[in-house]
């Protein structure tokens, strides 16, 4: 199977230029596209969350992916390396028009596949290491990690205390609890607990003389 892959970053861009380039190339090489994959999404988005991810799952030996340039696969070098490594391991080919890359089953491609896979693995390990070091440093500095927890022990100590009057007003206006929770950027369960606390009851009494 021969696939034409087209990606643009926004609705303002058009896929037609890339399609034209790929069709012109195929005409010159006397080959025909069996299936097109077109998507409008940022190249920084993980390929697993794009249509490209689905394509990489189903490609087989000797399948060919043609795109205008390597940057269409992704905007991150290591992401591109990982994508190309997947293709090489599956013995699929990747050709690009502007870059003139021809990654296939020759010895050069196999060397590149090893380099791509090793580089991607090193980058993942470095990211993991940097994350762990940052968390350890923050913990040592006394920074509270994770999502802040709402307190319920005492007046004015709950995370929604400062929004009691606003919540009461929204409740009177008939706004749903789900919407109020979204407005206050808390879970619905957090809001439900707050509505039972003395500070909310006090605020509601102040607004209802």
């Amino acid at each position: 199977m021969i696939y034409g892959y087209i990606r643009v970053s926004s609705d303002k861009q058009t896929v037609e230029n890339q399609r034209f380039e790929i069709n012109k190339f195929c005409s010159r090489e006397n080959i025909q596209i069996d299936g097109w994959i077109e998507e409008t999404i940022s190249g920084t988005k993980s390929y697993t969350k794009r249509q490209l991810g689905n394509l990489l799952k189903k490609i087989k030996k000797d399948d060919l992916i043609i795109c205008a340039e390597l940057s269409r696969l992704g905007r991150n070098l290591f992401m591109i390396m990982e994508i190309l490594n997947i293709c090489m391991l599956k013995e699929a080919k990747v050709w690009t028009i502007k870059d003139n890359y021809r990654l296939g089953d020759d010895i050069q491609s196999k060397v590149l596949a090893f380099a791509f896979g090793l580089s991607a693995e090193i980058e993942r390990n470095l990211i993991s290491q940097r994350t762990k070091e940052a968390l350890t440093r923050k913990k040592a500095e006394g920074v509270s990690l994770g999502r802040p927890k709402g307190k319920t022990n005492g007046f004015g100590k709950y995370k929604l205390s400062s929004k009691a009057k606003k919540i009461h007003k929204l409740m009177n206006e008939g706004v749903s609890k789900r919407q109020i929770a979204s407005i206050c950027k808390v879970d619905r369960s957090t809001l439900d607990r707050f509505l039972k606390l003395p500070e909310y009851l006090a605020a509601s009494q102040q607004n209802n003389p």
Side-chain angles (χ1 to χ4, degrees), residues 133-152:
E133 289 174 350
L135 291 175
T136 300
R137 185 178 68 255
K138 288 184 178 181
K139 189 174 181 180
E141 293 172 351
V143 177
S144 179
L145 302 177
R147 185 175 180 176
K149 297 180 180 179
K151 297 181 180 180
T152 59

Side-chain angles (χ1 to χ4, degrees), residues 103-118:
L103 300 177
D105 56 3
D106 54 14
I107 186 64
Q108 182 180 4
S109 295
K110 291 178 180 178
V111 171
L112 285 174
F114 174 77
F116 290 155
L118 181 60

